[in-house]
Amino acid sequence: MFDSGFLEMLVIGVIALLVVGPERLPGLASKAGKFVGKMKAFIANTREDIEKEIRADEMQSMLAQQKEEISELRDMMKSTGNEVSSEVNEAAEMLGDSINEAEKASSANNK
C-alpha cells in the first residue's frame, strides 16, 4: 500500500515524539497499532467477501450452463422415446397384419 522505509518511519517517530511528548507517545503508538490492525482485518475481510462473490457468480454461470445441457438432454430423450414408440407401434401393426393374414390363410386352408 504505502512504500515507506526505515528512514521515513524514523522521521515520523521523531516528529510524533516532539509533537505529542514522551509521556503520551506509548499510548498513541498502541492506539495507532490497534487501528492499523483493524484496518488490515477490514481489508482482509473485504477482499474475502469480494472473492466469495466472484466465486458465487462463477458458480451461477456454471449452473446456468448445466441447466441448458440438462434441458438439451431431456429434449433428446423425449425425441428418442417418441421415435422408439412410433417404431414399436409400426412393428405392432405389422405383427397384427401378419397375424390377420395368417388367420385368413389358415381359415382358407381349413375350408
Side-chain angles (χ1 to χ4, degrees):
M1 194 160 96
F2 295 109
D3 189 23
S4 60
F6 177 73
L7 185 60
E8 288 88 3
M9 297 302 277
L10 183 63
V11 170
I12 291 172
V14 169
I15 292 173
L17 182 61
L18 292 174
V19 172
V20 176
E23 302 88 29
R24 296 188 318 194
L25 186 62
L28 184 65
S30 173
K31 288 180 184 178
K34 288 178 183 177
F35 178 74
V36 169
K38 287 181 182 179
M39 287 301 295
K40 284 184 178 181
F42 173 75
I43 290 170
N45 286 336
T46 303
R47 181 178 295 144
E48 186 177 317
D49 290 344
I50 291 170
E51 289 174 356
K52 283 181 184 177
E53 288 296 322
I54 290 171
R55 283 192 299 260
D57 289 341
E58 290 173 355
M59 291 293 192
Q60 287 176 351
S61 66
M62 285 174 47
L63 182 61
Q65 182 181 4
Q66 288 179 349
K67 283 182 180 180
E68 289 176 15
E69 291 174 357
I70 289 171
S71 177
E72 290 174 6
L73 287 173
R74 280 185 182 150
D75 292 342
M76 288 173 56
M77 292 295 290
K78 284 181 182 178
S79 66
T80 303
N82 290 338
E83 289 174 8
V84 168
S85 177
S86 66
E87 290 181 13
V88 167
N89 288 338
E90 287 177 19
E93 287 177 13
M94 289 174 63
L95 182 62
D97 291 344
S98 297
I99 290 173
N100 288 338
E101 289 177 11
E103 286 176 351
K104 286 180 186 178
S106 172
S107 65
N109 287 341
N110 287 341
K111 288 184 184 181

